[in-house]
Amino acid sequence: MGRSANLPRGLVERFVARDGRWPDDTGCPMLHVDMDAFYAAVEIRERPELRHKPVVVGGVGNRGVVSSANYIAREFGVRSAMPTAHARRLAPHAVFLPPSFGLYQETSRGVMAIFRDISPLVEPLSLDEAFIDVSGALRRMNATSGAIAALIRTQVEEAYGITCSVGVAPTKFLAKLASGMCKPDGFMVVPKVAVLDFLHPLPVSALWGVGKRTAEQLDRVGLETVGDIAATPLPRLRKVLGVALAEHLHALAQGHDDRPVVPESKEKSIGAEETFEVDHFDRDLLKRELLRLSERSASQLRAKGLRSRTVSIKVRFSDFSTITRSRTLRVPTDLTHEVYATSCSLLDDHVPEGAVRLIGVRLEQLVEDESGEQLMFDAPERGWREAEQAADQARSKFGLGAIRPASLLGAQPRRSGATEPKPDR
Amino acid sequence: MKIRVERDGLADAVAWVARSLPSRPPVPVLGGVMLDAGSSDGDGGDSLTVSGFDYEVSATVGVPATVADGGKALVSGRLLADITKALPNHPVEIAVDGSRMTITCGSAKFSLPTMPVEDYPALPNMPQLAGELAGEIFGEAVAQVAVAAGKDDTLPMLTGVRLEIGEGKLTLVATDRFRLAMREFAWEPNETLSETAVLVPAKTLADAAKTLGGAGNKVELSLAANDGLLGLSGNGRRTTTRLLDADFPKYRQLLPSEHSAAAIIEVDSLVQAIKRVSLVAERGTQVRLEFVDGGLRLSAGGDDEGSAEEELPVEYTGEPVTIAFNPTYLLEGVHAVRTPKAHLSFTTPSRPALLKPVDDDGGVAPGYLYLLMPVRLPG
C-alpha cells in the first residue's frame, strides 16, 4: 500500500496487463511485487467464510492501530495506521482480528522463496513487498519480464492463496509506482520507450521524496505534474527545493534511477530486550536477565556467521528515563559469555541503582566471522566457542530449553503434577 | 611570589608536569600545577620547583630562576601549559598578588586565578633508592616492553609493566593476552634491596623512562613495595607513581621451550612489506605469512575488499607453513626487537610465535623476546 494507490489511474490505464496481454517489456528488468492487503488476505485464507466481509487486522486494545484491511473494509474508509477505535466507527460490522505474525512471517518466507527461485537478486522491503531484478533470469528461463511477472502472480496465488500486484519497469522507482497503480491483483508494465509518457502526466506527489510539504512548495511556483518538473531548468529547481532534493527529483522526473537491487540488506546490529511485568531493583535478577538476553543475541550472531565488535546495554527505569552504554571490544566476539561479561560490567560501572522496567542487550559493528580469530594466551585451543556451538546444535534439534545456563533454570516456569518428582520433606 | 625565569625551561617543565595530570580531575586542585619559588632545599641553585600530583602520579622538576619574593602558588595545569607553550621567546615574569597570578612575557600578559595552596595534597617523599640504571638502556627496555601492555582498564593487571628485581638482573615484562614482551638485563641493585616484583602502570612508566633516560644520564630507581610506591629520578626530574595492586598472570609457563620452524628476516623490508599488504586488511584483520624454503610470501585481504601479496627472501628452516597475525601487533613486535634482523620461530599456526633480536654474527641475541598469538584463519 502506498500513496500511489491514490494517484489518478485513468492516465495510466493503457499500461495495465489485460487478458494475458501486456505492453512491450523490452529493457524492463525491475519488478516490484506487493502483496494485496497482506495480513488481511492471510487471515481470510485461513477462514474462507470471511471472504466477502470487511476484515480489519490490527491492535484490538485501547491504543491499537490498523495494520491491514481488506478492500471491502477500505470502501468504508478504513486505512492502515488508523486507530482501531476510529476504524470501528467507520465499519462497525467489520470483522476485527488481532495480528498473527507467525503466520505472516511463514507466508512471507515462502513467497520470497518463490522470488529467489527466479532470481537471486531479491530485495525485500518488508514482509509483503520486494524488488526483483530479473535481467539474469530472462535468458535462462527464455521468458520476458512480463511473462515472469505473470508466472510469479500465478505461483503466489496457487501456493499461498493470496494475490499480489506487480510493477514491471526499467527502474526500481517506476516499478514500485506501477505496482501501486494496478492494485489489487493487477500487473502493469511501463515500457522503456514510454517512460516519459507514463511519468509526465502524473502529479508531483507520485515522485519518491515528495511529501505534502514539498508538493505545496512546488505548487506555489506552478509545478503540478512530473512533466513540469522535468521541464524546469535545474538551477531554478535548486532555488525552490535546495540542491539535494532538486537534483534527486529532476533525475526521477527524467525517468533516471540507477539504484540497483541489493539482496538481503546487511544487518547493522542484533539485539534483544525485555520489559518486566513489574519493575525490578535486584541486580542479581537483572544480571540473570542480561545472561538470557546475551544468549539470545549471541546465538543469533553465531547462526548468521557474524561477530560483534561493540556490546551495548539499554536500561529503562520506572520513570521511562533510559540510558544506553556501550563498550568496544579489542577482538570481535560471538560468544555468549563474553557478551554477558561485558554487559554485566557496563551495568556495574555505568548504571545507577533504581527500579528497572526494561533491560536490553545489543550487539553492534558486526563483521563476518571469516575475518579470522585473534587467539589469546590463556584461552584453551578448544573452549567456549566450541561449547556454545555444540549447545546451539542441541537447541536447534531439541528446542530452546534443551541446554541453557544453570543460573537461568530457576526462572523457568515450573511444571506441576506427576511428571516432576516431589522434593523429599 | 615574584620571579623571573627563562621561557624554554619554564615551558618544558610545565609541559612535563602537566602531562601526568588527569584530564578530568575529581576536584579542581588535582588538576593544578604548583609553583614553589625559593624554598627548594639545597637542590643546587634551582629556585623554582614545578610539581603536580593527583594521588596516583607525582612529578617534580626544578627550573633556574631569579627570585625576588619566594612563595607558592597553585594554578590550572592545562591552562599554564597552554600559555607557557605559546609565550614568545623572552624572559618570563611571574608574580602572585592575592588570588591572581600575573604572567608577563615580552608584550604578552596573562592573569590567572590561583587555587588555595592549603587544599593541595603533600607530594609523597621519594622512596628508598633501589639502584641506578643507565638512562638509554632503561629507556629502551621500557619502550620495548610497554608496547605489549594492555590499554583496557577493565583488566587492570594487564595495564602494567612488571618489574622483577632479581639477583644481578632486572626483568621487565608486559602482556595484553595477545602478545607478551620481556626484556632482561644485568643490574646491580642496592645491597639493602631484596628480590621483589612490582607492577607499574605502563603508560606512566613509559612516559617517565622517555623523559628521564636521556643520553648519558643516570636514572635512579627507588621503591617502597610495601607502600605501593615507585620513584624515578634523573635529568633534574623526579616522578613517583602508585603501583598496581593486582596479580600479574603467571607468564613463565607461556614461554615456549622449543620450536619446529624458524626464520631470520630483515626487519626493514619486513616492516615495509607488512605496511603495504595490510593496506587492504580491513580494520586490523590478519596478514598471512606463508613460509616456504628460502622465501616468505605475505598476503592480506580477499575478494571483497581487495587483496595484496608480496614476497621476501628469508632464511627459513622447517616445513612450509602459513601463519597469520594481526598486522599492528606484528609490526610493533618487529619494531621492538631493535636489531636489523629478527628471528621468528613457531610450532603450529595456532600456537604462539616468538620474535627475538639477531646479533651481528647472525645468532639469536639474548635479553629480549616478543611472544605473539596468531590469528586463527577461518575454515
Side-chain angles (χ1 to χ4, degrees), chain A residues 21-102:
Chain A
R21 299 163 60 88
W22 52 84
D24 178 17
D25 55 9
T26 325
C28 293
M30 293 295 182
L31 269 56
H32 179 261
V33 187
D34 198 350
M35 305 298 132
D36 302 320
F38 182 53
Y39 296 176
V42 172
E43 296 292 348
I44 292 168
R45 178 191 75 199
E46 299 296 308
R47 300 160 67 172
E49 70 273 16
L50 299 179
R51 182 164 299 274
H52 300 294
K53 294 189 172 149
V55 174
V56 179
V57 177
V60 289
N62 282 340
R63 286 187 256 170
V65 293
V66 173
S67 309
S68 174
N70 71 350
Y71 284 84
I72 306 177
R74 288 186 202 189
E75 281 170 20
F76 296 93
V78 177
R79 296 282 179 272
S80 311
M82 159 186 293
T84 308
H86 187 193
R88 277 188 205 279
R89 280 198 297 278
L90 291 172
H93 56 299
V95 179
F96 286 82
L97 300 169
S100 23
F101 286 107

Side-chain angles (χ1 to χ4, degrees), chain B residues 189-207:
Chain B
N190 270 11
E191 284 166 11
T192 50
L193 194 72
S194 53
E195 288 188 20
T196 182
V198 294
L199 195 57
V200 191
K203 192 177 166 296
T204 311
L205 185 66
D207 279 353

